[in-house]
């Protein structure tokens, strides 16, 4: 039985980790870290866990936790994991960080977009970017895994095969993304109040959202050239779900079937990526509660562009689900263990 | 492996049966019945099932199905199951009917409230009312199970121990219930359109809702006297969930702890009923996607009344989940098999 | 032109006052009070007012404001108005208080339910309870008006004629109320976050909500006897609207038409109260954005009870709209001026 | 007093026309056309209009109506107005068509995108495209006005000044639009059910939505060159509102202030277009219920693109409000009469 500790277990992503690990046969949670609720019963914070989780919340002492756990998930604000991580910790446990601290290889880019100093840049090189379907082999055996962001997981996977195969002009790539409100976290902030979000849609972080360099870096690796793109997130009045609508010029005249074949070549064997049939576009509701990425596309002959669309549950494949998938890979467990979550509809 | 057939598999309750049975170790679905979608791929109707269910929809030939299945779930409109059921079918398979056809013992009451003739009243006596926590022993081995209604499951279980123990004056019981919109089914009707339901709340079926006699019958059994009560359902702008707020005069001066002890005596050993702590009231979100019933209460010394509150997911404990729980009991499987669904939050 | 000052203009009720007064021919707002946003442009707080309101927010200096305005609206937390009100202020301006400070005649009851000391009880007797349709004559010419609560406006008006005429047994009255989330105010609190409210319904303040004594007091006046009742509020995932479902035993055998005639006798001449036809029940959406109260009812011969239902927009008839209606009465303007707001659907 | 007839008065756009005209000083509605509800009280279809509208629904006899009205609004499916319009009608009344029948000058383009034959192409040339802020002078005195589509109004106005001034490369223009569900109409269709729309977002009509050629035509006029673009609509779980996020390459290096100056030059004098300040992006909630278009933008120096954003209420500026604005222009009334609708928040 693998012992897991979660630091930041009372945020929405942390809560989702608890929900998923509750159904994982090989793991038991030994530490429900939550600086805000120390000593409070976890089930008093998340009443859905009443009579399921009996433990009380712990502090965020990562060193002590490293002595008790086999794996630590940090579902914490940017900078937290980087400020506490040490070789001593990594020598004892695997760390799966759900923050951005180890996602970006160029520490200068990280510090510029996040506006904070990176406290342990020495681990960046070692850290594996945990986009499972792309970096599966590197993840196996890794000690430190940088779990990708929610927008980035969806944005990258939707375009990846076409970027890799050179089918799209990377200079023309535009990503217009829409997210449910759980992505904004559980902080008590005015813009996240029900009455402010409900019956409303808006863009935010236009030309400045922090997931931009992460998407650019990964798609640069895929395409073999430096990618600069527009990424615009929008806040949607729903709890969960991300839909990314991506536009790019095609580099050559291809049929729908040819593009489909490319997607299938990359994702045909993937359990968690479903490439949809002709004329079917992804909807966030169809993946809700599950680890799936649904991908569809349409070619516009009039403009020479392809419109790619991807949908995920931001808390599952966009956070906790992918973290568990990474854990499964890192510990050589079956990759889908604990993740056979059928999407809930309606 | 138990073979299950579902007639009405493309309604919301039928879809939920498919979702739950997909995670059930002892069952495989052999028949996805749907009169509206015959020969259409099930996953084309419910895209969440893409690459999970490969089958196409079948007709509703219950006789043929009886030759192939061990259990038939009928998630169909009132009158359907009663019109097709025959001794020959029951001799081959168990039938779990999610409609109201066999819930009410007095056929006259059924025909009056539902406004249709009952086509097979000869099976009413045999049918077991499948409220698992109350009728568990009768359900074991039953051939025909009348799966309770969503409102009724929540309403009855919330008041049952106090009714049984004579702690509340049954002549004063008033049930004010609130339901998500999936309870209205997947029919394309004007009142169920997004723009009609969203940002709105209303009562409906006031003093005339069909679940009233079902609640009255069961609470009459519990209290040992004929119960007549007010039941008022309301439509809430959410997909899932039922909250029942129930009011009754206390028959004697009791403390919160004494009432709690009564609830615990009945439900303390129940996996799926959670009696909440002092000052904690049930919220539908805390049980979403799960088979739980959450119950809380408050005593008002000023008026001498108790306010009991119960919450369920109408599609799970209020329909498909309880149907699977009934199946588990009827087939002597572990009662919780396939139902270890952790509520999803948010 | 009447000059109006609003203290607390950046809460939801304050914002609604600004919206309504923007369309009022006889009023101009001279003071947008908001302790939290002093010197900030009002339209930067409420972007809907961009290019409509040019003013910046002011402090809450009620004395200074009294020298500039003809009427002051206080849309402020409990205790605020009571702590600042002086004879000197009332001698210069009319005050319409949207808080509870002057609603309850018995200061002991106020202090018990609100848990604070009343700082100016000497004005309680003079204050007129501004339920316009009931106390119209007293409001004309009043200096200090206690604007009723949102739940109370809806709850009282729905039962008033029957209470007054002795048609219902006041000892059996139970009010089950449902409210949109704007009633919880614009404070950045965890329970009001989108993800906590959305897809959820719950009761709160069970047997302890502060609007209870206010409803009891007014219905005691109406019925001529001391009323003690159950009032249970629920939080609904929508922005606006209150629905009150009220249950009481009928004191005699009456027909639907007879009850309708009683309602019509009281409300037939009222612009803002609409008594609905047979079988039509109020829905909050049908009154959204307007000052209407919609009332419907059903008699249940089986239980001898009547179910009364009332719907309002909590921010309009439940707060700002009624405040303007009170102002119109107090200043001898046409009662409907500025309030001819057609409900918005959908 | 201008007499107005509405054909299609019980759709959502028709209902909004009734709401707006109820507050218009110079107009009375003489004909509530609704083929589906002939002889039924209008207020029984839209309960919000109870005691406001007393009339019953009429048929859609446009010829008879032309003898009674001064202006006819047709809020009807594509092809309807074109099939009934005659010179005889236009000689008696002005016609404001809210469908697409007269929006597109090239009848071949219309017939291709809409898949129906145009029954009265002889009026296309005369028809004025009623985008008020652009074609104001042509609208004055027009007999036949083609009221623009909801997506098109928002999409065109957001890009118009930059297209006209040559600041953006029209070959790179991509419009990603998001709409509330009222845009889908009041038809009882499965995809519009609450449970299908709620907690969900999806794209639809990708590379094939009918508003595409309308946007292209108008922006071609603006830019002086043939525009072909991508337009992707999305369905958002809210009742009202459209947000258009538009991407284009800048043709030269400009500052934020320079672009703002261009917008101001075109829209500075417009009552209904509000160009927002730096860093402020439009939100649909801030224009809800009003005739405003809110526009904001951001320049991305990294990619050389501008991101333009526009928000409207699809039923007001996107349909009924603009129709009334067109009527005001056509009848030489003050352009804002009946349209001083303050956005409702929350």
């Amino acid at each position: 039985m693998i012992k897991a500790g979660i630091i930041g277990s009372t945020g929405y992503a942390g809560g989702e980790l608890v929900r998923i690990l509750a159904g994982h046969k090989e793991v038991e949670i030994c530490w429900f870290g939550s600086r805000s609720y120390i000593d409070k019963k976890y089930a008093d914070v998340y009443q859905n866990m009443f009579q399921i989780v009996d433990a009380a919340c712990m502090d965020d002492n990562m060193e002590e936790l490293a002595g008790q756990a086999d794996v630590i998930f940090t579902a914490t604000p940017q900078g937290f994991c980087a400020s506490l991580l040490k070789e001593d910790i990594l020598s004892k446990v695997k760390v799966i960080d759900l923050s951005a601290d180890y996602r970006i290889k160029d520490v200068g880019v990280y510090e510029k977009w996040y506006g904070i100093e990176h406290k342990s840049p020495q681990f960046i090189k070692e850290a594996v970017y945990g986009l499972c379907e792309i970096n599966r082999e590197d993840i196996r055996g890794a000690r430190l895994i940088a779990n990708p962001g929610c927008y980035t997981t969806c944005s990258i996977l939707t375009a990846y095969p076409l970027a890799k195969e050179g089918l799209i002009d990377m200079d023309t790539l535009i990503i217009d993304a829409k997210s449910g409100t759980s992505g904004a976290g559980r902080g008590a902030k005015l813009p996240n109040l029900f009455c402010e979000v409900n019956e409303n849609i808006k863009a935010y972080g236009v030309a400045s959202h922090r997931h931009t360099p992460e998407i650019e870096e990964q798609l640069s690796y895929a395409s073999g050239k430096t990618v600069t793109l527009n990424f615009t997130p929008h806040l949607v009045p729903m709890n969960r779900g991300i839909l990314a609508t991506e536009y790019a010029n095609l580099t050559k005249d291809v049929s729908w079937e040819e593009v489909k074949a490319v997607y299938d070549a990359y994702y045909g064997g993937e359990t968690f990526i479903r490439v949809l049939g002709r004329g079917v576009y992804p909807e966030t509701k169809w993946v809700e509660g599950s680890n799936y990425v649904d991908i569809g596309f349409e070619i516009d002959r009039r403009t020479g562009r392809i419109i790619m669309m991807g949908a995920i549950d931001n808390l599952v494949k966009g956070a906790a689900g992918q973290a568990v998938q990474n854990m499964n890979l890192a510990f050589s467990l079956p990759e889908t263990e604990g993740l056979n979550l059928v999407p809930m509809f309606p």
Side-chain angles (χ1 to χ4, degrees), chain A residues 15-294:
Chain A
E16 192 71 354
L17 264 172
V18 175
R19 178 176 83 93
I20 292 172
L21 292 176
H24 195 293
K25 290 196 203 76
E26 310 288 341
V27 176
E28 66 181 2
I29 304 174
C30 66
W31 187 291
F32 294 80
S34 174
R35 200 188 306 195
S36 317
Y37 295 106
I38 294 172
D39 292 339
K40 188 163 184 170
K41 281 255 194 177
Y42 188 80
D44 288 345
V45 180
Y46 280 118
Q47 192 70 31
N48 57 326
M49 291 299 170
F50 186 58
Q51 296 183 356
I52 299 172
V53 172
D54 193 48
C57 293
M58 311 280 282
D59 63 26
D60 48 15
N61 188 330
M62 212 161 151
E63 286 194 77
E64 189 182 330
L65 171 52
Q68 303 181 19
D70 302 300
V71 59
I72 297 177
F73 296 93
T74 48
T76 44
Q78 321 305 334
F80 177 90
C81 186
S83 73
L84 293 188
L85 198 62
K86 296 178 180 174
E87 177 57 34
D88 184 50
I89 293 171
L90 279 179
S91 70
K92 295 185 192 154
V93 296
K94 292 179 189 290
V95 172
I96 300 175
D97 178 27
L98 281 73
S99 86
D101 287 0
Y102 301 100
R103 292 179 195 159
I104 293 174
K105 289 295 170 199
D106 182 333
V107 70
V109 170
Y110 172 89
E111 294 188 339
K112 180 180 156 212
W113 284 81
Y114 286 88
I116 50 176
E117 186 193 351
H118 199 296
K119 300 288 191 183
S120 55
Q122 70 273 22
F123 298 119
I124 295 178
K125 186 149 183 284
E126 172 179 356
V128 176
Y129 187 73
L131 194 56
C132 309
E133 286 77 9
I134 308 303
N135 297 330
R136 183 172 285 124
E137 293 316 312
D138 292 339
I139 296 163
R140 294 190 213 278
R143 297 195 307 172
L144 174 58
I145 297 170
N147 208 59
C150 52
Y151 279 125
T152 51
T153 294
C154 189
S155 298
I156 295 165
L157 291 175
T158 298
Y160 186 85
L162 308 197
K164 186 90 176 172
E165 294 296 316
L167 273 183
I168 52 176
D169 176 354
M170 299 307 288
D171 291 335
T172 65
L173 184 59
I174 287 172
I175 302 176
D176 189 286
K178 299 90 179 165
S179 174
T181 305
S182 60
R186 213 187 185 202
K189 294 172 189 160
L190 179 65
N192 298 340
L193 291 180
F194 182 83
C195 289
E196 309 286 318
V197 173
N198 189 41
E199 289 296 292
N200 197 10
I201 186 166
K202 66 172 178 185
Y204 65 99
V206 180
S208 63
H209 193 277
R210 292 163 168 188
H211 284 179
T212 310
E214 189 180 334
I215 300 169
E216 290 177 344
E217 179 175 334
Q218 297 300 322
L219 289 181
S220 295
Y221 298 149
S223 63
K225 44 188 288 189
T226 303
V227 174
T228 311
L229 52 74
N230 275 104
F231 168 72
T232 313
H234 297 76
L235 188 66
V236 180
M238 57 186 194
N239 285 350
R240 290 170 179 244
I242 283 179
L243 180 73
T245 313
E246 311 194 14
Y247 303 85
N249 290 357
L250 286 164
T251 55
K252 56 177 172 179
D253 195 32
V254 284
S255 67
W256 190 91
E257 288 74 12
E258 289 170 310
V259 175
K260 177 67 159 52
V262 171
Y263 273 114
D264 286 342
Y266 282 78
Y267 297 148
E270 292 294 344
T271 302
F272 295 126
I273 303 186
R274 307 191 292 192
V275 183
L276 306 177
R278 189 154 203 163
V280 184
Y281 309 140
E283 310 188 17
T284 58
K285 189 70 188 160
W286 297 124
V287 297
E288 188 175 328
S290 82
N291 203 46
Y292 288 110
V293 186
D294 276 7

